[in-house]
Amino acid sequence: MSLKEYKPGTTFPGVIGRTFDQSEPAWPEPLRAKEGAPNVLFIVLDDTGFGQLGCYGSPIQTPNLDSLAAGGLAYNNMHTTAVCSPSRACILTGRNHHSNNMASITEGSTGYPGYNGYIPFENGFLSEILLQHGYNTYAIGKWHLTAADQISAAGPYERWPLGRGFERYYGFLGGDTHQYYPDLTYDNHPVNPPKTPEEGYTLNEDIVDKAIQFICDAKQVAPTKPFFMYFCPGAMHAPHHVPKEWADKYKGKFDDGWDAYREKTFARQKELGISPEDAELSRHDPDVKPWDQCSPEEKKLYARMMEVFAGFLEHTDYHIGRLFQFLKDIGEFENTLIMVISDNGASSEGGPAGSVSEMRFFNNVPESVEENLEVLDKLGGPDTFNHYAWGWTFAGNTPFRRWKRETYRGGVSDPFIVHWPKGIKAKGEVRTQYAHAIDMVPTVLDCLGIEPPVAIKGVTQSPIEGVSFAHTLDDDSAPTKHHTQYFEMMGHRSLYHRGWRAVCPWPGPSFIESGKFFGDPITADMLTELDAKSWELYHIEKDWAENHNVAADNRPKLIEMIATWYEEAGKYNVLPIDSRGSLRFADERPQITADRTSYTYYPGTQVVPTNAAPRVLNRPHSITADVEIPAGGAEGILLSQGDIEAGYVFFVKGGKLHWVHNYVAKAFYHVESVEDIPDGRHQLRFEFEVTGKPDVPSGKGSPGKAQLYIDGKLVGQTEVPVTTPLSLGLIGLSCGAAHGAPVTPDYKPPFEFTGKIHSVTVDVSGQLIEDKEAEARMHMARQ
């Protein structure tokens, strides 16, 4: 029947009308977790060595983390990738780091499969999986899992925490941050810290406050809904920042040096069962100066650096303890599956003499004891970006050899604690089964009774590459299920297979022995030579700390191990090998927009991350600010990039135009206009003219001439003998205000511009103003 044929009273055969009172509602089933499902808490420490927690033999006080080991399990055979981003990708996906396209840190990505820094969506995060099973999901602290070209306000946001299954996020997106002036992101937008260092701010306290807040927000509405929290403090990565009273608790505790630390820690590890009774301490590292050969000045500096580190670790433990106490107070602690891990071994990024500015390491700039002693009393405070010396790195990885970035056990063997009172009967026991970070996700899924999903958001999932160790939680004699594991980090390679380790160190067992340094490239011919002559073999079931290279006596076994490494490398996209280290930072990468030579910025906008900002290092460039100066003058930031470690700032102060280049906190090159800036609208311009070539391996960027112009008139210039060669500080580019720790002591952040900025344009085309007569007049005026 058509509508035209319908008449009132007409009935429709087979159709029965219904009203709501005759019907049953059919609501979609609410997504709820299984009754009694545990919370899951991952705590990922940064750069914390095998021998640095109290429950792993250290003299540093970590009572809250120690209590987890006492009430749960400490694993002594857990492994990571040797560097942070790759390990964190493994922890969250259960896949190997090259499978995650995370061969190195995000800033070191290259355009090859396994290396580009874009974690595939077919490698689902644990957060994405648990979200489908009724969990709240939170990420707190360090992220460092988004490609460096994708962390700007232009996005895309799909690989930010909220794009990878986390409902809430508070922390920093990069690899490290200033603990007093952090570069914070809240969900998908940047925020400033809630208070200043002068008001007592520290990042450790802040992120624990937010962790507690996130849980409270949900629990007061849905008290039985479980959560997954990925909690990642910036500790113990540099900067080792902690209020002075925490560092002073350890005054004099390390005066006997790193060699004594190793001996005492190793003895304590044997008492605790962390190291086997028959284990031998690894050799003294050739790159580390014996403590008894250090001068009194060196000992003074190095001991204080370790006091600051120890205070920082105890401070971190204290605030983690606040989170534990909160979970106890709300009755959730007993049914929270907690896993604590470090992302790699202790870090050597402080260099042989330690560092007061980590950017010196990343820019190949050497440091001296004399220079660092000058700021001894400032270590741990907001005016430094400090990191201890290699000797403490080496000691922190007791009993193993070497450190972060290398695939000897010192770089890849890490503390690992599991605590879950409601789900694990064993308490205070040590587990010796071999495991890797890729095993954490399958273990959690096993404990929760969840199968890995076939698809997430319509994307078919790749197989999880780790294996569960849940069967070991209550059975110390259960065999490991993880029999083979490859390692590769910036050319340093190794393989574990059924109790054996083969290692091909690059550039060698130590820098002194190899005559080369971190970052030296491996060519094709060199790779052939390395495979023929440089692989070492250790039977670690008998040789815990890789002391006895038995390659010469076990040639067939070594060949088998090398072949297995290549088999694994082919399977997981490990090739091509790239050993260039921090030199990779300078590689050109795709940007969200096409290449250009002119960049325009506006006040009141978000900070532009360094990788999305114009590259001004080692090239001629100009900065032009279109401004209005009100009657009575104005002051403040026009454009700034970097922070206390390294950077540049273009600003107005005292009626004058200024530009300062902070050369890795070793020197400040400053040019000031000889004339005041008049009221009204003006073009304020800075130009950098390159006058020589950079020497990047020696830590020297291009020298040049810095010039200031007001409306095209030259009003100031100076020679800049050296500039930062590779990487500016952690804070990106900002217009109209400064963020983070100040580039120069000449201002205090945010130092917002009090006039009006219409725009600021950075030009890297190389087109500069030429005014020979004005330059001559400026030169004569300085005579």
Side-chain angles (χ1 to χ4, degrees):
M1 178 186 297
S2 70
L3 288 176
K4 291 182 179 179
E5 298 174 307
Y6 173 77
K7 295 179 181 180
T10 302
T11 61
F12 295 88
V15 178
I16 301 175
R18 282 184 179 274
T19 58
F20 76 95
D21 57 333
Q22 296 175 302
S23 305
E24 293 291 331
W27 291 104
E29 185 73 21
L31 180 61
R32 295 191 180 116
K34 294 178 183 178
E35 185 176 352
N39 307 305
V40 179
L41 173 59
F42 281 3
I43 298 176
V44 184
L45 301 172
D46 206 328
D47 291 359
T48 304
F50 191 84
Q52 289 182 325
L53 299 181
C55 52
Y56 279 74
S58 171
I60 300 171
Q61 300 299 303
T62 53
N64 293 294
L65 293 174
D66 294 353
S67 70
L68 295 187
L73 305 170
Y75 281 72
N76 71 356
N77 214 356
M78 170 57 82
H79 299 80
T80 57
T81 69
V83 168
C84 51
S85 301
S87 293
R88 292 162 191 267
C90 294
I91 288 167
L92 283 173
T93 69
R95 282 86 166 181
N96 284 297
H97 58 304
H98 291 87
S99 296
N100 286 315
N101 295 333
M102 199 66 73
S104 180
I105 60 174
T106 57
E107 295 82 355
S109 62
T110 58
Y112 302 102
Y115 286 75
N116 64 33
Y118 304 116
I119 301 177
F121 294 112
E122 56 261 39
N123 293 3
F125 281 30
L126 181 59
S127 49
E128 295 172 309
I129 297 172
L130 296 186
L131 198 61
Q132 296 180 338
H133 288 270
Y135 275 69
N136 283 129
T137 54
Y138 314 120
I140 298 283
K142 175 171 174 173
W143 182 244
H144 212 197
L145 289 171
T146 303
D149 59 284
Q150 295 190 353
I151 60 172
S152 75
Y157 291 86
E158 58 192 4
R159 287 184 170 87
W160 289 39
L162 269 60
R164 294 307 311 247
F166 289 103
E167 298 171 306
R168 307 292 302 278
Y169 173 64
Y170 185 79
F172 55 100
L173 293 174
D176 60 6
T177 196
H178 201 289
Q179 294 284 314
Y180 299 104
Y181 294 100
D183 187 14
L184 291 172
T185 296
Y186 196 151
D187 293 337
N188 276 351
H189 64 278
V191 293
N192 292 320
K195 55 187 179 181
T196 67
E198 292 77 15
E199 294 168 325
Y201 179 85
T202 65
L203 182 59
N204 273 337
E205 180 180 25
D206 189 14
I207 60 174
V208 170
D209 286 349
K210 274 294 185 292
I212 292 171
Q213 177 193 325
F214 284 178
I215 296 170
C216 281
D217 286 345
K219 287 292 184 184
Q220 64 190 2
V221 177
T224 61
K225 187 174 184 178
F227 66 83
F228 167 50
M229 178 171 283
Y230 177 64
F231 182 87
C232 307
M236 295 301 296
H237 199 292
H240 300 158
H241 279 161
V242 70
K244 187 173 183 295
E245 60 269 22
W246 289 84
D248 286 349
K249 293 172 71 172
Y250 289 90
K251 203 162 186 65
K253 296 292 177 74
F254 303 108
D255 287 355
D256 53 356
W258 41 64
D259 296 317
Y261 180 106
R262 294 185 77 225
E263 295 288 348
K264 293 175 184 177
T265 298
F266 188 46
R268 180 67 178 144
Q269 287 175 343
K270 288 190 173 184
E271 292 174 12
L272 294 169
I274 293 295
S275 285
E277 275 296 322
D278 60 352
E280 299 174 358
L281 191 60
S282 62
R283 66 171 186 166
H284 185 94
D285 196 289
D287 289 327
V288 173
K289 193 173 185 178
W291 187 259
D292 60 13
Q293 294 179 20
C294 293
S295 69
E297 291 76 19
E298 288 173 319
K299 290 179 179 179
K300 180 180 179 180
L301 174 65
Y302 300 154
R304 183 57 179 173
M305 286 178 162
M306 188 58 185
E307 291 167 9
V308 172
F309 176 88
F312 186 29
L313 180 50
E314 184 176 346
H315 183 262
T316 303
D317 178 85
Y318 168 78
H319 285 288
I320 289 173
R322 290 176 49 228
L323 177 57
F324 294 165
Q325 187 58 52
F326 165 73
L327 294 175
K328 292 173 183 177
D329 292 344
I330 65 171
E332 296 287 343
F333 187 72
E334 296 290 305
N335 197 29
T336 298
L337 171 57
I338 303 175
M339 293 184 177
V340 182
I341 192 171
S342 174
D343 59 0
N344 43 248
S347 171
S348 64
E349 288 157 3
S355 177
V356 299
S357 173
E358 187 191 44
M359 277 297 131
R360 295 181 186 176
F361 170 82
F362 289 115
N363 284 286
N364 302 321
V365 178
E367 297 191 60
S368 71
V369 170
E370 293 73 24
E371 288 177 317
N372 291 347
L373 275 170
E374 293 176 4
V375 294
L376 184 72
D377 294 337
K378 294 184 177 182
L379 295 180
D383 294 335
T384 61
F385 208 94
N386 49 296
H387 194 302
Y388 54 30
W390 280 351
W392 294 119
T393 310
F394 171 51
N397 292 324
T398 300
F400 304 122
R401 61 196 297 176
R402 301 304 283 178
W403 40 53
K404 175 184 177 179
R405 303 193 321 267
E406 301 184 19
T407 67
Y408 283 117
R409 296 202 71 186
V412 301
S413 294
D414 293 288
F416 181 65
I417 303 167
V418 181
H419 184 272
W420 183 23
K422 194 170 181 180
I424 303 173
K425 296 176 183 177
K427 289 178 170 50
E429 297 180 9
V430 174
R431 292 290 182 265
T432 61
Q433 291 87 350
Y434 189 92
H436 188 275
I438 61 174
D439 300 332
M440 292 171 65
V441 165
T443 300
V444 168
L445 297 181
D446 202 354
C447 290
L448 272 53
I450 294 174
E451 290 294 322
V454 174
I456 295 176
K457 297 180 182 177
V459 178
T460 301
Q461 294 296 285
S462 66
I464 288 178
E465 293 163 2
V467 294
S468 172
F469 54 82
H471 65 294
T472 71
L473 297 177
D474 277 317
D475 186 353
D476 62 349
S477 62
T480 182
K481 295 179 181 178
H482 199 133
H483 302 299
T484 304
Q485 180 62 48
Y486 83 92
F487 298 87
E488 188 280 332
M489 187 51 61
M490 292 177 271
H492 204 289
R493 297 174 287 160
S494 61
L495 178 84
Y496 168 83
H497 183 65
R498 297 185 181 274
W500 291 81
R501 288 196 96 242
V503 185
C504 188
W506 178 257
S510 68
F511 302 135
I512 285 179
E513 289 167 303
S514 68
K516 297 181 178 68
F517 192 60
F518 170 71
D520 278 15
I522 299 174
T523 64
D525 290 343
M526 293 166 67
L527 180 60
T528 301
E529 182 81 1
L530 286 168
D531 283 338
K533 298 180 179 179
S534 295
W535 282 90
E536 302 166 357
L537 183 65
Y538 302 95
H539 194 183
I540 59 167
E541 284 188 348
K542 301 177 180 178
D543 181 16
W544 178 246
E546 298 173 316
N547 282 306
H548 305 288
N549 178 11
V550 295
D553 298 328
N554 294 270
R555 189 70 181 168
K557 184 67 178 178
L558 179 64
I559 293 171
E560 173 197 336
M561 296 284 282
I562 296 171
T564 302
W565 186 91
Y566 272 101
E567 180 182 344
E568 298 294 291
K571 188 186 304 182
Y572 298 116
N573 284 331
V574 180
L575 303 174
I577 293 170
D578 188 345
S579 67
R580 292 174 299 140
S582 58
L583 294 177
R584 284 155 65 166
F585 296 175
D587 283 6
E588 294 287 343
R589 294 176 178 83
Q591 295 296 318
I592 196 167
T593 58
D595 289 345
R596 54 192 164 130
T597 59
S598 182
Y599 302 75
T600 300
Y601 301 100
Y602 304 96
T605 53
Q606 293 184 17
V607 174
V608 178
T610 297
N611 284 277
R615 290 176 175 268
V616 298
L617 297 178
N618 305 317
R619 67 194 302 185
H621 61 277
S622 66
I623 304 171
T624 304
D626 181 2
V627 306
E628 288 187 38
I629 305 295
E635 66 174 10
I637 300 295
L638 300 172
L639 200 71
S640 175
Q641 184 176 352
D643 55 22
I644 196 170
E645 288 194 277
Y648 68 86
V649 59
F650 188 36
F651 63 103
V652 176
K653 184 178 180 182
K656 302 284 202 288
L657 186 59
H658 300 258
W659 175 87
V660 175
H661 181 89
N662 174 346
Y663 174 61
V664 293
K666 288 174 77 77
F668 295 88
Y669 299 109
H670 185 183
V671 57
E672 177 182 351
S673 65
V674 296
E675 298 180 11
D676 286 350
I677 306 170
D679 297 348
R681 187 162 181 171
H682 300 284
Q683 298 284 311
L684 308 180
R685 183 178 174 94
F686 162 77
E687 289 190 353
F688 185 79
E689 179 184 345
V690 172
T691 57
K693 294 181 178 181
D695 182 2
V696 174
S698 299
K700 297 177 181 178
S702 296
K705 182 188 297 182
Q707 298 179 319
L708 298 175
Y709 295 85
I710 299 176
D711 298 325
K713 179 183 178 181
L714 182 64
V715 294
Q717 68 177 357
T718 191
E719 297 295 328
V720 180
V722 64
T723 56
T724 304
L726 281 173
S727 181
L728 296 171
L730 297 174
I731 302 298
L733 183 146
S734 58
C735 179
H739 299 271
V743 173
T744 168
D746 294 325
Y747 69 88
K748 184 176 181 179
F751 200 37
E752 295 181 10
F753 187 66
T754 56
K756 181 176 182 179
I757 298 176
H758 292 279
S759 65
V760 178
T761 299
V762 179
D763 189 290
V764 293
S765 67
Q767 295 180 359
L768 304 177
I769 295 173
E770 288 192 17
D771 190 341
K772 299 298 183 183
E773 291 184 8
E775 290 183 31
R777 289 195 299 271
M778 292 290 301
H779 179 73
M780 293 300 294
R782 293 199 301 268
Q783 299 305 308

